[in-house]
């Protein structure tokens, strides 16, 4: 009996050691999480863009609310300014959101919200970036980052390479750098499938502060527009509430000039 | 009075023709876009019922059609009408129905500047619900301050130009429209009765209340003002100036002796005032700090002093609001405001004190992806100890239908701004359909 067990144990140990070594070799051949993040953030997304964004908000019973918006984004050096105007339906028409995203890690963004019922532009805190954006399942941070990532908020590790829907992807695990950041973001862990060729996140899974799976985002219909890889469809499911949000981008244009004046308090009040 | 109304009608019609006249050539130029593509219409129908312990206060229906027409040259024509009908007479038996052209304006870009011409609302200031600089448009007090701001603000005919100059935006206003606050009639539920708002006379004095004397020079009596606003190192800043007629008439008093006794002739008259002030706001972590300050000249306060020659005391007034919004909890807002006014003179028997302080607290939270909203608004006058509490829950059944339930509870001394309505506590329910 002992004779027969010993070789099995030996083989098992040998296999485990070899597998571990192979994993180490494979992992070391993968780009690091930070390198992948830098590739994602270095991806060309145009100096400016204008686009129509249709939001579908679907509750657990399937009741769907649809919002049509027009958005503009422009880089001013390393500073990114984004504005979203709500066009439909009537009950949210005129609502507009403006954000100035600064490159300095220690500088809070500036954000404004125009509510037509008050006819007033309201300064809003940028620290509530984990709050959900106007009834969607995307947070203010998700909206602001636009498929890019915050380098300073997370520690990252590349777990493996795998095929996702036929695309070679790196699976990156991101953990917030500290509890305060985790609370601000609303996530304790994020798993991302990053396309290894075009450096776009194709899928993300988010865990809440308690460590429960919170939501899953799938990025679809990625096409080149005017030479720039562009996401046209984002689907997110909140596993806690069973609420879903689908974003569909259309009329994407990187070449039409977007006026600097589009990113002012005046333009929020004026609307489109 | 009749002559004044005719003049007003002629001027308003002229203005209307001017706005439409400017718009029509643009319409004819819109060849590449069909009229129906360029036009967007909407309709809001809402109904609200308010019930107090004795009676139905109101059973009101509002119909608000709106049209927007896109014009060439980055221009847009907007028209909003409002039909209001209240089946109940309690709020104001003299004002149960009205049909009104609420807004009609042409918005056009000229270079980098934005011009808005026509009947419109302009909102200044950073405070919520408290008026320091938000005085460009008068207000309808038919329902005290319980009506929502957008409905209660009275749009005015004006020229409104916003001109960017480097990092500063200059807003210029010219308002040849002499429309003022509208108060509930004396028979209305929300007629002002507080002795801090309405001067009192001894019981044996006969009061002869004259019709208000309104300015009648359309151009000479026009209000005008400007605002300089900028974003500087994280701060939203503005400096404001308005030369205007105060929207509340001054009650000039003349005492005379008649064979039957003493008579007090009260003549309401609108008086000019210079308002100078500014606003600021910034965000610090979870907190947003905002504030506004305004200094008004020529504020006239009624006095009950029988020896005073005209029954009023000329004052200047400093008013300011400091507000803190806290976003510490998800999907929640805690908003605290401190509002204070100081008069330059504090003579005895003036109907209101020289110092008046009010606190407001708003607690708000949204649930179910913003479809369910709950809030409590508390307004408390520190000096009089009176106030108003307004809890409200609203639910978006879908994008077209919103339902709400609320309670308005007044408390405090009868002489207080809020306390005068302690018998008016009410339960409110409503529905709004947007099409």
């Amino acid at each position: 009996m002992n004779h027969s067990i010993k070789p099995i144990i030996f083989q098992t140990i040998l296999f485990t050691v070899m597998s571990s070594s192979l994993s180490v070799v494979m992992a070391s051949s993968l780009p690091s999480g930070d390198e992948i993040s830098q590739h994602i953030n270095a991806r060309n997304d145009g100096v400016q863009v204008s686009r129509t964004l249709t939001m579908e908000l679907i509750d657990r019973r399937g009741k769907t609310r649809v919002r049509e918006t027009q958005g503009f984004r422009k880089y001013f050096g390393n500073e990114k300014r984004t504005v979203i105007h709500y066009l439909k339906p009537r009950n949210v028409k005129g609502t507009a959101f403006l954000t100035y995203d600064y490159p300095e890690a220690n500088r809070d963004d500036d954000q404004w919200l125009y509510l037509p019922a008050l006819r007033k532009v309201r300064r809003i805190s940028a620290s509530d970036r984990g709050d959900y954006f106007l009834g969607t399942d995307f947070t203010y941070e998700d909206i602001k980052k636009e498929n890019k990532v915050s380098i300073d908020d997370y520690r990252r590790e590349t777990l493996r390479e795998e095929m996702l829907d036929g695309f070679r992807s790196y699976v990156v695990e991101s953990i917030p750098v500290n509890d305060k950041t985790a609370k601000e973001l609303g996530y304790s862990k994020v798993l991302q499938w990053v396309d290894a060729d075009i450096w776009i996140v194709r899928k993300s899974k988010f865990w809440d502060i308690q460590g429960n799976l919170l939501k899953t985002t799938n990025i679809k219909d990625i096409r080149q527009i005017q030479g720039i890889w562009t996401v046209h469809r984002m689907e997110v499911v909140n596993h806690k509430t069973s609420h879903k949000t689908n974003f569909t981008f259309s009329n994407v244009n990187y070449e039409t000039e977007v006026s600097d004046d589009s990113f002012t308090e005046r333009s929020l009040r004026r609307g489109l | 009075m009749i002559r004044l109304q005719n003049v007003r009608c002629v001027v308003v019609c002229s203005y209307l023709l001017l706005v439409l006249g400017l718009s029509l050539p643009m319409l004819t130029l819109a060849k590449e876009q069909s009229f129906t593509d360029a036009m967007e219409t909407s309709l809001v129908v809402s109904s609200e019922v308010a019930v107090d312990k004795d009676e139905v206060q109101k059973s009101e229906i509002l119909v608000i059609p709106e049209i927007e027409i896109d014009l060439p040259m980055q221009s847009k024509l907007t028209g909003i009408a409002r039909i209001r009908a209240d089946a109940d007479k309690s709020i104001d038996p003299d004002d149960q129905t009205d049909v009104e052209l609420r807004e009609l304006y042409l918005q056009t870009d000229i270079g980098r500047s934005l011009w808005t011409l026509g009947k419109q609302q302009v909102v200044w200031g950073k405070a919520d619900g408290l008026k320091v600089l938000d005085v460009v448009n008068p207000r309808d007090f038919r329902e005290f301050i319980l009506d929502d701001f957008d409905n209660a603000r009275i749009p005015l005919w004006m020229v409104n130009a916003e001109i960017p100059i480097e990092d500063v935006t200059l807003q210029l206003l010219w308002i040849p429209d002499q429309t003022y606050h509208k108060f509930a009639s004396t028979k209305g539920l929300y007629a002002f009765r507080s002795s801090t708002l309405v001067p009192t006379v001894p019981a044996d004095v006969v009061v002869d209340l004259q019709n208000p004397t309104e300015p009648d020079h359309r151009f000479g009596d026009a209000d005008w003002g400007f605002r300089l606003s900028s974003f500087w190192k994280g701060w939203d800043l503005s400096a404001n100036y308005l030369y205007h007629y105060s929207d509340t008439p001054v009650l000039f008093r003349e005492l005379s002796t008649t064979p039957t006794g003493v008579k007090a002739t009260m003549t309401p008259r609108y008086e000019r005032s210079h308002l100078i002030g500014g606003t600021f706001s910034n965000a610090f972590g979870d907190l947003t700090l905002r504030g506004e300050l305004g200094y008004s000249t020529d504020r006239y306060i009624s006095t009950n002093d029988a020896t005073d020659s005209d029954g009023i005391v000329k004052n200047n007034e400093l008013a300011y609001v400091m507000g803190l919004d806290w976003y510490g909890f998800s999907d929640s807002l805690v908003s605290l405001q401190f509002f204070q006014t100081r008069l330059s003179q504090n003579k005895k028997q003036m109907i209101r004190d020289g110092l008046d302080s009010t606190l407001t607290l708003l607690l708000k939270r949204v649930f179910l992806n913003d479809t369910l909203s709950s809030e409590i608004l508390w307004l408390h006058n520190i000096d009089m100890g009176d106030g108003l509490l307004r809890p409200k829950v609203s639910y978006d059944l879908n994008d077209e239908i919103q339902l709400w339930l609320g309670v308005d509870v007044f408390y405090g001394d009868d002489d207080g701004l809020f306390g005068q309505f302690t018998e008016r506590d009410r339960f409110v329910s409503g529905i709004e359909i947007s099409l």
Side-chain angles (χ1 to χ4, degrees):
Chain A
M1 189 70 175
N2 280 346
H3 282 278
S4 60
I5 290 172
K6 269 186 181 174
I8 292 170
I9 292 172
F10 177 75
Q11 283 171 8
T12 307
I13 291 169
L14 186 64
F15 179 76
T16 307
V17 169
M18 284 180 71
S19 302
S20 304
S21 306
L22 193 62
S23 298
V24 168
V25 170
M26 280 184 68
S28 64
S29 69
L30 296 173
S32 72
D34 286 341
E35 285 170 342
I36 291 172
S37 299
Q38 281 157 10
H39 278 297
I40 294 171
N41 285 359
R43 194 185 71 239
N44 180 20
D45 56 354
V47 173
Q48 63 203 357
V49 67
S50 56
R51 61 202 165 186
T52 303
L53 165 60
T54 305
M55 305 176 180
E56 287 177 289
L57 284 61
I58 307 162
D59 75 7
R60 65 171 71 198
R61 286 169 295 183
K63 193 166 72 180
T64 304
R65 295 178 289 156
V66 181
R67 276 107 180 75
E68 191 176 304
T69 71
Q70 179 69 38
F72 303 96
R73 187 249 300 140
K74 189 170 187 175
Y75 285 98
F76 294 74
N78 289 326
E79 181 186 318
K80 185 170 76 172
R81 299 184 180 180
T82 309
V83 65
I84 299 173
H85 294 271
Y86 279 66
L87 308 176
K88 288 177 183 173
R90 170 69 179 74
N91 64 339
V92 293
K93 185 184 173 186
T95 302
F97 173 68
L98 171 66
T99 180
Y100 289 4
D101 180 7
Y102 301 109
E104 299 89 355
N106 58 351
R107 185 175 177 187
D108 275 349
D109 302 336
D110 287 308
Q111 294 183 342
W112 297 263
L113 186 65
Y114 176 70
L115 296 168
L118 299 177
R119 301 204 183 212
K120 202 179 281 186
V121 175
R122 196 176 187 106
R123 186 67 172 269
I124 56 173
S125 161
S127 67
D128 59 343
R129 48 197 181 139
D131 271 10
Y132 289 109
F133 178 76
L134 299 177
T136 71
D137 294 292
F138 292 97
T139 63
Y140 279 87
E141 182 76 359
D142 298 335
I143 296 288
K144 189 183 75 181
K145 284 298 172 191
E146 285 186 80
N147 301 313
K148 296 211 169 181
V149 293
S150 171
I151 299 287
D152 301 310
D153 286 333
Y154 295 98
R155 281 189 297 272
R156 297 177 177 81
E157 186 186 352
T158 309
L159 300 182
R160 59 187 179 273
E161 180 183 318
E162 70 179 34
M163 296 301 284
L164 176 74
D165 300 332
F167 297 99
R168 189 169 64 92
S169 303
Y170 296 120
V171 182
V172 180
E173 182 185 79
S174 303
I175 308 289
V177 290
N178 53 41
D179 289 348
K180 180 175 175 287
T181 306
K183 276 185 185 166
E184 278 182 17
L185 296 166
Y187 309 135
S188 62
K189 186 174 85 171
V190 183
L191 214 56
Q192 290 171 310
W193 282 255
V194 183
D195 190 302
D197 297 315
I198 58 173
W199 305 108
I200 288 182
V201 178
R202 287 190 174 272
K203 179 180 176 179
S204 303
K205 294 178 98 168
F206 300 84
W207 280 260
D208 67 13
I209 301 297
Q210 287 75 37
N212 302 312
L213 182 60
L214 175 64
K215 61 182 187 180
T216 303
T217 305
N218 283 295
I219 309 295
K220 296 179 175 174
D221 193 7
I222 300 170
R223 284 179 273 137
Q224 281 196 318
I225 300 287
Q226 292 152 351
I228 295 172
W229 286 104
T230 305
V231 170
H232 285 78
R233 176 97 173 158
M234 300 167 74
E235 299 174 350
V236 57
V237 180
N238 186 317
H239 301 293
K240 284 174 116 177
T241 61
S242 299
H243 192 276
K244 297 174 193 169
T245 300
N246 299 332
F247 277 10
T248 305
F249 296 93
S250 56
N251 305 319
V252 181
N253 192 322
Y254 295 99
E255 292 177 349
T256 301
E257 178 68 22
V258 177
S259 163
D260 293 357
D261 289 341
S262 301
F263 307 95
T264 59
E265 188 183 317
R266 190 172 75 254
S267 80
L268 292 189
R269 277 184 279 111
R270 184 199 196 284
L272 292 177
Chain B
M1 193 66 182
I2 291 168
R3 191 182 67 83
L4 191 66
Q5 280 174 350
N6 286 340
V7 169
R8 178 172 292 173
C9 186
V10 167
V11 173
V12 165
C13 289
S14 307
Y15 208 99
L16 192 65
L17 288 171
L18 176 67
V19 170
L20 292 173
L22 284 168
S23 312
L24 285 173
M26 294 179 175
L27 280 175
T28 60
L29 289 171
K31 284 177 183 169
E32 70 280 2
Q33 196 178 21
S34 76
F35 189 74
T36 47
D37 286 345
M39 186 175 69
E40 196 175 322
T41 57
S42 67
L43 181 70
V44 176
V45 180
S46 69
S47 172
E48 189 171 76
V49 176
V51 183
D52 65 25
K53 65 181 191 310
D54 300 318
E55 60 181 345
V56 175
Q57 277 193 12
K58 74 168 182 178
S59 177
E60 183 183 76
I61 186 160
L62 288 177
V63 180
I64 303 172
E66 181 172 344
I67 185 167
E68 263 185 25
I69 304 171
D70 284 330
L71 304 169
M73 299 184 287
Q74 298 202 330
S75 302
K76 187 165 66 175
L77 182 68
T78 302
I80 304 171
R82 188 181 70 184
I83 302 158
R84 181 175 58 77
D86 190 346
D88 202 89
K89 292 182 177 177
S90 303
I91 296 277
D92 195 340
D94 297 336
D95 186 15
Q96 275 185 269
T97 58
D98 65 35
V99 179
E100 188 185 357
L101 174 66
R102 289 283 292 168
E103 298 182 53
L104 179 68
Y105 55 84
L106 173 71
Q107 215 169 27
T108 187
D109 290 327
I110 301 175
R112 287 180 63 209
S113 62
L114 171 66
W115 289 72
T116 310
L117 311 170
K119 197 178 189 192
Q120 58 190 290
Q121 298 188 32
V122 170
V123 180
W124 278 1
K126 297 288 179 189
D128 290 337
L130 300 167
K131 304 269 183 182
V132 175
L133 297 175
D134 184 13
V135 294
V136 176
N137 291 88
R139 192 190 157 101
D140 188 343
F141 287 97
R142 178 180 176 273
E143 209 173 333
F144 184 43
I145 59 166
L146 303 179
D147 206 357
D148 74 59
F149 298 127
D150 207 44
N151 263 328
R153 208 177 280 116
I154 300 171
L156 296 179
W157 294 93
M158 67 176 93
V159 175
N160 170 9
E162 294 182 72
I163 305 160
I165 305 166
E166 301 286 330
D167 294 332
V168 175
T169 298
L170 168 66
Q171 181 182 35
L172 297 170
L173 299 176
W174 182 64
I175 313 167
D177 184 345
Q178 278 83 49
T179 305
Y180 305 102
H181 286 330
K182 190 175 168 188
F183 297 97
S185 74
T186 50
K187 291 176 271 183
L189 271 185
Y190 292 100
F192 289 135
R193 295 178 179 88
S194 158
S195 62
T196 59
L197 300 168
V198 183
T200 53
V201 290
D204 56 343
V205 174
V206 177
V207 175
D208 176 17
L209 182 62
Q210 302 285 304
N211 285 326
T213 307
E214 293 188 356
D216 56 358
H217 293 95
R218 181 59 53 183
F219 299 113
D221 287 324
D223 294 349
W224 62 271
F226 66 85
R227 177 177 70 168
L228 290 164
S229 55
S230 188
F231 176 65
W232 180 74
K233 293 188 174 178
W235 291 88
D236 296 307
L237 301 170
S238 81
N240 306 56
Y241 171 78
L242 188 66
Y243 182 50
H244 68 133
Y245 277 94
S246 179
D247 288 315
T248 305
V250 181
L251 270 181
F252 286 89
R253 185 192 66 196
E254 189 180 341
L255 294 173
S256 56
T257 308
T258 64
T260 54
V262 178
K263 186 172 96 170
T265 304
M266 311 294 278
T267 308
R269 202 168 78 203
Y270 292 91
E271 291 293 330
R272 279 279 198 196
S273 171
H274 296 274
L275 167 66
I276 186 163
T279 68
F280 62 87
S281 67
N282 200 348
F284 303 94
D286 286 335
L287 281 175
T288 300
L289 174 69
R290 56 191 166 80
E292 61 182 279
L293 180 142
Y295 184 78
S296 296
T297 65
D298 306 294
R299 305 285 285 164
Y300 296 89
I301 309 298
S302 291
T303 174
N304 293 324
D305 182 358
T307 63
D308 192 280
S309 59
D310 55 7
I312 50 119
V313 179
K314 187 176 176 181
N315 262 285
N316 296 326
E317 184 181 54
L318 176 71
Y320 60 91
V321 180
M322 289 287 291
L324 273 177
D325 300 331
W326 186 62
Y327 296 85
F329 295 122
S330 286
D331 300 319
S332 303
L333 169 66
V334 178
S335 179
L336 183 69
Q337 297 183 119
F338 176 70
F339 172 62
Q340 192 166 65
T341 61
R342 289 170 181 269
L343 294 171
S344 56
Q345 296 195 62
N346 196 9
K347 281 190 176 175
K348 276 187 178 175
Q349 296 194 56
M350 271 191 343
I351 61 170
R352 56 169 271 207
D353 284 343
L355 187 68
D356 189 70
S357 311
T358 301
L359 266 178
T360 76
L361 176 67
L362 172 68
L363 307 174
K364 185 169 183 175
R365 176 145 200 187
V366 292
F367 306 88
L368 303 175
N369 293 80
D370 287 10
T371 53
L372 180 65
S373 170
S374 64
E375 67 174 51
I376 298 177
L377 173 64
W378 177 45
L379 300 104
H380 178 76
N381 186 290
I382 296 167
D383 305 292
M384 298 293 289
D386 63 331
L388 168 63
L389 203 59
R390 307 191 74 190
K392 183 180 178 184
V393 177
S394 60
Y395 178 62
D396 291 347
L397 199 61
N398 51 43
D399 278 335
E400 288 79 36
I401 301 176
Q402 187 187 55
L403 309 167
W404 65 91
L405 294 173
V407 180
D408 300 322
V409 181
F410 296 93
Y411 63 88
D413 193 280
D414 285 352
D415 281 337
L417 178 67
F418 306 106
Q420 64 183 320
F421 300 123
T422 46
E423 297 300 311
R424 307 282 182 263
D425 294 351
R426 64 185 198 172
F427 173 82
V428 176
S429 64
I431 180 170
E432 181 177 286
I433 302 168
S434 307
L435 302 168

